[in-house]
Amino acid sequence: MTLIDGPKPSAIFMDIMETVVTEPFLEVMPRYFNMSAKDFLAQKDPRSWIEFEHGHITEEQYFASFFSDRRNIDGKGLKEAMRDAYRWLPGMEFLLSSLKEGGFPLYALSNYSNWYRMIDEKLQLSKYLNWDFVSCKTGHRKPDKEAYLVPASVLDLEPGQILFIDDRQVNIDGARDVGLRAQLF
């Protein structure tokens, strides 16, 4: 049985949230603030997380701009609640281990803030993959074409040499639009 169809890719880019690891954003955050998901989404600042994911604002600035009304939040407590919620999705640690043992270079290509470090501290994904292409480091979020092309350029690879795996069709479409092989998870 082969894990990869077609020619062996020179690199595999993996989305992380809801592809490899559980995504606690819409479950943990509303519960932490004792809100429904609907109320939480209505009250949170719509740009602060995106700016944090891009690496354009610091964690302190993120906490200060978390809600649209700029109320104070316990950022340390929120981070702890998020950290506690990160879990491997079933079978994903085995898959990443198998891919690494098979000689596939693995890279996280994920829209995420520097909180990716909490995921790595807890689950040790860096045993299997490299975190260089997280949006907070590159400044580019999927499905922006640069989110795919910058890592390909850094690795000196043609897009067609890369396999990208993600749980969102819009990101798969973005990857395919620039020539990556892409698989919806």
Side-chain angles (χ1 to χ4, degrees):
M1 177 179 136
T2 60
L3 294 173
I4 306 293
D5 291 330
K8 181 177 179 177
S10 298
I12 298 175
F13 293 169
M14 301 282 299
D15 174 57
I16 300 301
M17 305 315 292
E18 284 304 304
T19 302
V20 176
V21 173
T22 57
E23 167 61 87
F25 184 76
L26 285 177
E27 179 183 332
V28 172
M29 285 191 178
R31 184 175 54 225
Y32 181 80
F33 293 107
N34 199 26
M35 297 178 171
S36 69
K38 182 180 178 183
D39 288 342
F40 172 73
L41 289 174
Q43 294 181 44
K44 76 172 194 59
D45 184 292
R47 294 287 313 156
S48 63
W49 180 254
I50 292 170
E51 292 299 311
F52 191 34
E53 277 189 341
H54 270 110
H56 295 161
I57 63 174
T58 65
E59 183 176 275
E60 292 76 23
Q61 291 169 317
Y62 173 59
F63 292 146
S65 62
F66 191 90
F67 284 110
S68 294
D69 65 7
R70 301 302 190 246
R71 72 187 90 155
N72 289 328
I73 67 166
D74 174 12
K76 183 179 176 182
L78 177 61
K79 276 182 68 176
E80 188 172 315
M82 291 290 286
R83 183 187 189 288
D84 289 346
Y86 294 128
R87 305 264 185 282
W88 284 99
L89 288 175
M92 292 311 295
E93 185 173 18
F94 175 77
L95 177 61
L96 266 61
S97 175
S98 297
L99 289 168
K100 183 173 177 147
E101 287 174 17
F104 293 96
L106 300 171
Y107 297 87
L109 184 67
S110 190
N111 294 343
Y112 219 64
S113 71
N114 65 17
W115 288 2
Y116 79 87
R117 293 182 185 118
M118 290 190 305
I119 298 169
D120 196 48
E121 287 169 9
K122 181 174 182 183
L123 303 176
Q124 301 179 357
L125 273 70
S126 59
K127 293 189 306 188
Y128 311 110
L129 56 77
N130 177 297
W131 287 98
D132 285 349
F133 305 129
V134 180
S135 62
C136 68
K137 290 183 168 190
T138 66
H140 302 288
R141 292 178 78 244
K142 303 171 295 183
D144 174 17
K145 69 180 181 175
E146 295 302 314
Y148 312 100
L149 294 176
V150 167
S153 177
V154 167
L155 296 175
D156 197 26
L157 295 174
E158 292 298 319
Q161 295 176 280
I162 300 164
L163 173 63
F164 173 61
I165 302 168
D166 197 297
D167 68 309
R168 298 186 62 211
Q169 188 65 50
V170 66
N171 294 334
I172 294 297
D173 293 343
R176 287 179 179 158
D177 286 348
V178 297
L180 271 70
R181 294 164 51 192
Q183 179 63 49
L184 185 67
F185 173 77

